[in-house]
Amino acid sequence: LFTQTLWQLALSIPTGRVTTYATLAVAAGGHPMMAQMVTHILGKYPHPEEIPWHRIVYANGRVWFDPERQKERLAQYQKEGIELDKDYKIKDFEKIIYTFPDFT
């Protein structure tokens, strides 16, 4: 159930918004310390290319890059109007962070 919920939540992150690994873990019914498991579980999704990986970031607003996909990721952020600083942290992070409607 946790896995299915996590997949659904990740797929529902709106365009132009981001969430954190810990927020996803908690919204799916887990604990914030499960954040490291989130990427592993999302990677098991039957179609991982559908996961909006660029919309899931670290708690400090920093984004993670796969060196092989860095240009693609930067283009995705730009297309969605998400600005990054020189340290690959999201500008105005607090304004675009997404918490899920049922997230308490």
Side-chain angles (χ1 to χ4, degrees), residues 12-65:
S12 74
I13 303 165
T15 301
R17 303 288 297 276
V18 297
T19 196
T20 67
Y21 295 99
T23 299
L24 265 175
V26 172
H31 188 276
M33 296 300 288
M34 297 172 73
Q36 290 182 338
M37 290 176 43
V38 168
T39 55
H40 176 73
I41 293 169
L42 291 178
K44 299 289 185 186
Y45 185 69
H47 306 285
E49 69 280 357
E50 294 176 2
I51 300 289
W53 296 100
H54 64 288
R55 295 182 192 146
I56 308 167
V57 301
Y58 296 115
N60 65 0
R62 193 166 198 282
V63 302
W64 179 85
F65 284 120

Side-chain angles (χ1 to χ4, degrees), residues 15-17 75-84 90-91 96:
T15 301
R17 303 288 297 276
Q76 288 171 317
Y77 288 119
Q78 186 175 28
K79 180 180 177 183
E80 294 188 20
I82 298 172
E83 295 183 52
L84 304 177
I90 295 174
K91 293 181 181 181
I96 65 166

